[in-house]
Amino acid sequence: MKRKHLYFIIAVLILFNFTTMNKIHNIENSMNRSLRQIQNEQIDLRNEIKNIYANVDEKLKKQISLFDSYTVTFGSDLNKDNLTIPVEISVTPKEQTENLTADLLVNDQRHVMVKNGSRFTASINAYLFDPLQIKVILKDKGLEKIETIDEYDDLQYKYLLDMYVHFAGRTKYISGKYQYEGDIIIDYFESKNNSLEKISISKYINGTFIDEQEVDMKNLESKMHTIHSLQGEVELSANDRIEIYINVLDKYGLNYKYIVLADEIDSDGKLVEMRPEWTNGSLVEIIDKSGKVLRRNIF
């Protein structure tokens, strides 16, 4: 009888423990839900405060501005010859007088603006690789007032190709021969202002150009996502270094050089793999059709 009572007590305790654990679990879930709700409410509140500050800041800027409105319009195509972008600027001053004139100040160069009704307009050509600072000077009876309209630190991203390039494969070094095998993967993000025209693979040993292989664009399933098989063998000695680059040509004649593989043989004759550090997929430089380096990234 005592054993039966003991079993009964154990069963009750197990049931009680299970019920207690279930309640604790439910309480934890309820607390987590409440905590998440509080966190979401805090995020919403912070966003509302940011929006209020942004709206207030915008209204204050508009209130102290010299202009009722302004527009900055960029052309859709780049000039291939001088790599400039057509830009049209239009402003409408708050105060209109008979003698009011306006000048456009772009990177410290002054341009006369043409008056058309209550608006003043001007067109310029902005160099792709320079920052762009746009100011307007209002002149009335010898008095000048100036205001910064807009600033662009990097116009390049409006017109340059946007892509990700890397090498997925393996390498080995046996008896003085360096072997590589794998795929070069290119992901190209569509741009309304540019397009991909040509792809090639170039090889360098100790900084000296060895050869270049053009990728057949006709056989590519898609320019947006390209996989090209890469396989080869070269003779390397101690302290030698091999680099393989992807060269991409755009519709403006600009060549983008990406490094996808860089390995070296140390003084003991052993392979030192540089991947997957900066060597895999980094943009090294952009060169124009005359060979001039327009942008170079130093790692």
Side-chain angles (χ1 to χ4, degrees), residues 204-259:
Y204 292 75
I205 294 179
N206 298 329
T208 302
F209 173 77
I210 302 299
D211 58 47
E212 186 171 8
Q213 172 191 356
E214 187 172 340
V215 176
D216 188 358
M217 300 285 288
K218 295 179 182 178
N219 295 329
L220 299 181
E221 294 182 5
S222 170
K223 287 185 181 180
M224 308 299 290
H225 179 75
T226 299
I227 299 178
H228 181 77
S229 296
L230 184 68
Q231 183 177 1
E233 179 182 278
V234 294
E235 292 186 2
L236 296 180
S237 303
N239 300 315
D240 280 346
R241 178 183 177 88
I242 182 171
E243 296 168 336
I244 294 180
Y245 296 87
I246 294 297
N247 306 293
V248 178
L249 187 71
D250 72 7
K251 76 174 188 178
Y252 300 118
L254 299 180
N255 187 78
Y256 306 69
K257 190 175 182 180
Y258 296 86
I259 187 164

Side-chain angles (χ1 to χ4, degrees), residues 76-78 80 83 159 193-194 250-254 289:
S76 59
D77 281 324
L78 194 64
K80 291 183 179 181
L83 300 178
Y159 298 89
N193 297 321
N194 207 341
D250 72 7
K251 76 174 188 178
Y252 300 118
L254 299 180
K289 54 188 177 183

Side-chain angles (χ1 to χ4, degrees), residues 108-240:
D108 297 327
Q109 290 188 349
R110 204 155 176 157
H111 308 265
V112 176
M113 301 189 78
V114 177
K115 189 173 184 180
N116 184 8
S118 60
R119 292 189 309 150
F120 290 90
T121 61
S123 297
I124 61 161
N125 292 313
Y127 183 57
L128 179 65
F129 290 90
D130 281 346
L132 178 62
Q133 184 185 64
I134 302 172
K135 297 179 181 180
V136 174
I137 303 170
L138 295 180
K139 300 181 295 181
D140 189 10
K141 296 179 181 179
L143 180 65
E144 289 190 350
K145 296 179 181 180
I146 185 169
E147 183 176 324
T148 300
I149 295 300
D150 232 329
E151 293 181 280
Y152 301 86
D153 292 330
D154 204 338
L155 292 176
Q156 300 172 32
Y157 295 106
K158 288 179 176 288
Y159 298 89
L160 297 184
L161 294 181
D162 183 12
M163 55 179 44
Y164 174 69
V165 182
H166 70 284
F167 173 73
R170 58 186 179 274
T171 60
K172 60 183 178 181
Y173 181 67
I174 301 174
S175 302
K177 296 185 182 297
Y178 174 84
Q179 299 172 343
Y180 53 93
E181 181 181 5
D183 294 322
I184 289 178
I185 301 171
I186 301 175
D187 287 308
Y188 165 60
F189 305 97
E190 191 172 14
S191 169
K192 65 179 181 180
N193 297 321
N194 207 341
S195 61
L196 186 155
E197 300 296 321
K198 178 183 173 182
I199 302 173
S200 64
I201 302 167
S202 58
K203 183 168 53 187
Y204 292 75
I205 294 179
N206 298 329
T208 302
F209 173 77
I210 302 299
D211 58 47
E212 186 171 8
Q213 172 191 356
E214 187 172 340
V215 176
D216 188 358
M217 300 285 288
K218 295 179 182 178
N219 295 329
L220 299 181
E221 294 182 5
S222 170
K223 287 185 181 180
M224 308 299 290
H225 179 75
T226 299
I227 299 178
H228 181 77
S229 296
L230 184 68
Q231 183 177 1
E233 179 182 278
V234 294
E235 292 186 2
L236 296 180
S237 303
N239 300 315
D240 280 346

